[in-house]
Amino acid sequence: MTAFLRLKSLLLLLACVLVSDCASSDSSSAAGRGGARDSATTVYLSREEALRTVFPEASRVLEEEIVLSADERRAAEELLQARMGERAFTVYAGVSADGGLDGYAVIQAEIGKFKPFEFIVGVEPDGHVRRVAVLVYREARGAEVAHRRFLEQYRRKTVQSPIQIQRDIIHITGATMSVNAMNLGVKKVLSVIEVAYRKQPERIEKLLRSGRQVFPQAKAAWKEGSGSFTRGTGLEVREARYIMGSLCEIRACGGDAKKLRSAIFKAFCAMEAADRALSDYRPDSELSRICREGATAPVPISELTAEFLELAEKLERDSGGAFDLTIAPAVWAWGFRKGAGFGPHVDRAPTPAELDELRPLVDYKNVSLSRGPSGRWEVRLLRDGVRLDPGALGKGFAVDLAVRQLVKEGVSSALVDFSGNMYALGSPPGEESWLVGVRDPVRPEGVLGMVKLQNQGISSSGSYEKFVELGGARYGHILSPQTLRPVDGIFGTTVIAPTAALADGCSTAAYVLGEDALPFLRKEPGVEGLVVLGGEGGSSRFLATKQWNLSTVEDAWAVTR
Ligand code: AMP
Ligand code: MG
């Protein structure tokens, strides 16, 4: 038994060393050879974060190591319908406020194509999968297995459910082996929980009574999952987390890893607060409440939401309505929310008559933001059916909140990268500025070149990022508020601005304005923009506010999306 456990700890230790090693080399190879990432270790969650993800309600988390007896292993293999290489597992149990079992979890490592990757499988007390989340992924391809949308497919599966690629779980091109490995790992965890606990309730009692408490107390143990290494004359701590369904990575540099880690943690909390207030996926967000109730009575809102709406209003005015938060009903009509189980099912492009019906709803002047009699901000919708889409501004806005928090915590050098919406704070130790690769909108797997950033935000917009296929045609996700149709004739835009929110909003607005983007971009102080338009026979044409000095250095820290 102890030999098994020792072997397992050794493997875990080795995995941790690999994580920090790869993390440091990965950051400098992001845009080499035309922008492909070839050293691809990504740390998505630390173990603590993974446990918080699967046990959001638990008051405590306990752990115990178990070794399956020969009979238990046989029973588990029968359920699994495959041989099981390992006998030892670390099982986590969430404990609810009343002392009962909140759920189980196992952090499982499986080999993808060439390398092991780690994921957590959270299981309800009744044996259903609660949540699967990836901690670390190391393959050059197939990182989509770490995306929330992919992982949602495992929810509610039981030990009896078939879990097969292409039949029960969608296949990801280039990641067949990782998907198969994850299917096996999830099933393995379900079999072990079934055999070791659900069939032996006394073992649950024992675990609740005598399991080792790992959370909330033993904070020092939670090191895995976050890369920390030397950078120039200082230290860089790098952590990643899923927020608003997208990956956000923060790199912060300084002299004290503990302080940096704590600052990053607070920065993520600030971003999560933005998500809670502004998400259109959460029925309880302030934004959702505005959409539900704003046409009936003024809806009181927080300073944070007011700041977001004020900035949106400025962009709407400055862009002459090319940027418009009230675009939401048209976004739904084109089916851009159906993948998330939100918005109507759409299998064809909306007809001109259907779009005409939505037209009165899409107008930013339908939103009225003011201070109520008590001085508190409130919002009214001047028409029934008006809906707000935070998608063009939310990520940049959240990045700025993270940066403010980092600065408050004394951090002066950081790069916040929220799926390509970025802010470069100060510069890396011993270097002049942060280097960011600008995605090539014509060949999105590559970069146009590098830009140097210091206390600036950057964001790109393009239809390569998100599109729907309806009736055999492809439609991009940025719509003209005038025609309510996807904008075409443009490949993409990139904007640098004094804040990440301004860069995010301006890149979307410039995409809508296309040929007319430059006068708008030039109005905004500190803003520089690059617009790549479609030309004759699939060629491209560049418009820019200034000569962009895109260097060809191969050492990008991150790449815009
Ligand atoms: P981004 O990737 O920042 O350019 O934002 C694109 C997202 O903004 C889309 O997926 C829509 O949710 C939303 N959107 C689309 N068209 C517009 C528009 N004209 N104004 C504001 N938001 C838009
Ligand atoms: Mg944007």
Side-chain angles (χ1 to χ4, degrees):
M1 162 170 166
T2 39
F4 268 115
L5 297 182
R6 253 189 238 129
L7 180 66
K8 196 162 166 147
S9 327
L10 196 70
L11 281 172
L12 258 178
L13 191 70
L14 188 68
C16 296
V17 171
L18 274 173
V19 173
S20 27
D21 263 343
C22 298
S24 57
S25 58
D26 180 34
S27 61
S28 58
S29 68
R33 290 159 296 284
R37 271 177 186 261
D38 53 358
S39 164
T41 293
T42 307
V43 179
Y44 294 100
L45 296 171
S46 66
R47 193 161 60 144
E48 180 186 24
E49 288 162 353
L51 289 170
R52 282 202 179 123
T53 304
V54 296
F55 299 126
E57 319 278 8
S59 60
R60 289 182 302 143
V61 176
L62 309 175
E63 76 173 343
E64 74 172 358
E65 266 101 15
I66 58 162
V67 178
L68 300 182
S69 68
D71 282 347
E72 286 169 339
R73 177 145 80 159
R74 221 168 297 123
E77 286 181 343
E78 219 167 288
L79 288 169
L80 185 63
Q81 295 185 334
R83 294 296 306 274
M84 195 144 57
E86 59 271 68
R87 278 175 66 195
F89 293 87
T90 301
V91 177
Y92 299 93
V95 185
S96 54
D98 63 4
L101 179 73
D102 171 66
Y104 309 90
V106 173
I107 295 175
Q108 187 62 12
E110 295 286 349
I111 308 273
K113 191 165 186 181
F114 302 115
K115 298 173 186 168
F117 66 104
E118 278 91 51
F119 51 94
I120 189 165
V121 182
V123 180
E124 300 284 0
D126 69 2
H128 286 89
V129 172
R130 173 183 291 177
R131 180 96 191 251
V132 179
V134 172
L135 284 79
V136 183
Y137 190 75
R138 299 188 180 82
E139 302 285 354
R141 301 189 63 192
E144 292 91 324
V145 299
H147 291 186
R148 178 87 182 257
R149 220 169 268 175
F150 172 78
L151 296 168
E152 276 297 304
Q153 302 180 89
Y154 293 101
R155 198 190 283 271
R156 306 295 301 157
K157 298 272 188 220
T158 69
V159 73
Q160 307 296 347
S161 314
I163 306 184
Q164 274 183 27
I165 192 166
Q166 231 148 6
R167 230 185 47 191
D168 316 294
I169 299 292
I170 53 160
H171 172 240
I172 292 174
T173 315
T176 312
M177 295 177 83
S178 295
V179 176
N180 277 330
M182 188 173 273
N183 290 348
L184 177 71
V186 170
K187 197 94 196 227
K188 225 184 252 179
V189 171
L190 288 169
S191 309
V192 170
I193 298 293
E194 189 67 21
V195 166
Y197 296 96
R198 293 189 17 84
K199 291 234 164 85
Q200 306 187 59
E202 71 284 6
R203 293 270 293 267
I204 304 175
E205 293 306 315
K206 184 181 150 271
L207 170 60
L208 290 177
R209 233 183 12 252
S210 54
R212 249 190 335 272
Q213 181 155 326
V214 291
F215 183 73
Q217 269 113 342
K219 284 214 162 129
W222 303 112
K223 291 247 169 71
E224 302 95 317
S226 57
S228 164
F229 39 89
T230 51
R231 166 81 52 204
T233 49
L235 249 179
E236 180 189 302
V237 170
R238 172 180 174 183
E239 295 194 6
R241 191 184 288 195
Y242 265 107
I243 299 171
M244 305 179 185
S246 296
L247 185 69
C248 179
E249 183 182 67
I250 301 182
R251 301 161 197 218
C253 302
D256 182 336
K258 204 166 152 216
K259 274 196 187 143
L260 292 170
R261 220 171 262 132
S262 145
I264 291 176
F265 177 78
K266 289 181 183 163
F268 280 136
C269 291
M271 297 178 91
E272 276 164 355
D275 182 39
R276 280 196 298 277
L278 300 171
S279 168
D280 55 349
Y281 285 80
R282 291 170 178 257
D284 58 341
S285 72
E286 288 186 32
L287 188 112
S288 296
R289 225 179 60 238
I290 294 169
C291 294
R292 260 194 326 269
E293 300 165 15
T296 323
V299 176
I301 53 164
S302 61
E303 290 288 327
L304 185 130
T305 301
E307 187 187 339
F308 177 83
L309 291 176
E310 266 192 310
L311 179 57
E313 203 176 291
K314 171 193 155 47
L315 285 161
E316 288 161 343
R317 261 186 283 109
D318 290 0
S319 68
F323 180 95
D324 194 329
L325 281 197
T326 65
I327 196 77
V331 171
W332 300 1
W334 285 92
F336 280 108
R337 285 291 192 274
K338 71 170 185 228
F342 180 81
H345 176 73
V346 172
D347 53 12
R348 57 168 178 80
T351 62
E354 284 166 342
L355 291 178
D356 277 346
E357 252 177 61
L358 301 178
R359 190 142 294 135
L361 303 178
V362 180
D363 181 348
Y364 68 91
K365 298 195 184 99
N366 283 332
V367 182
S368 156
L369 173 70
S370 59
R371 284 197 189 269
S374 62
R376 186 157 180 203
W377 285 106
E378 54 186 37
V379 185
R380 288 191 57 118
L381 299 178
L382 305 184
R383 213 180 257 276
D384 224 3
V386 170
R387 297 286 178 268
L388 308 179
D389 180 337
L393 190 60
K395 286 201 192 111
F397 186 76
V399 167
D400 287 337
L401 294 181
V403 171
R404 261 183 239 169
Q405 194 63 43
L406 290 170
V407 171
K408 210 162 139 193
E409 296 297 314
V411 175
S412 56
S413 161
L415 187 72
V416 181
D417 176 2
F418 194 0
S419 292
N421 292 276
M422 280 180 256
Y423 188 87
L425 175 65
S427 55
E431 290 174 52
E432 188 192 310
S433 47
W434 294 94
L435 269 180
V436 170
V438 176
R439 177 141 347 249
D440 180 349
V442 183
R443 280 168 291 277
E445 68 287 357
V447 294
L448 288 173
M450 309 296 144
V451 280
K452 291 180 176 175
L453 300 180
Q454 210 186 79
N455 298 325
Q456 284 163 309
I458 186 165
S459 170
S460 294
S461 291
S463 56
Y464 54 82
E465 206 195 326
K466 212 190 307 171
F467 52 82
V468 287
E469 277 174 338
L470 300 170
R474 222 181 217 222
Y475 299 99
H477 65 136
I478 300 175
L479 310 182
S480 153
Q482 263 179 356
T483 64
L484 306 191
R485 297 183 58 81
V487 175
D488 55 18
I490 177 160
F491 284 112
T493 56
T494 295
V495 170
I496 296 175
T499 65
L502 195 59
D504 191 358
C506 286
S507 75
T508 312
Y511 189 99
V512 178
L513 289 165
E515 199 82 53
D516 303 320
L518 294 189
F520 156 71
L521 291 170
R522 288 198 173 114
K523 265 196 306 210
E524 305 293 328
V527 165
E528 298 295 349
L530 179 70
V531 179
V532 185
L533 296 160
E536 294 286 305
S539 63
S540 52
R541 203 156 47 86
F542 284 64
L543 298 176
T545 49
K546 62 153 196 187
Q547 182 69 36
W548 278 50
N549 288 325
L550 291 168
S551 66
T552 51
V553 188
E554 290 212 341
D555 198 19
W557 288 82
V559 178
T560 65
R561 291 232 175 102

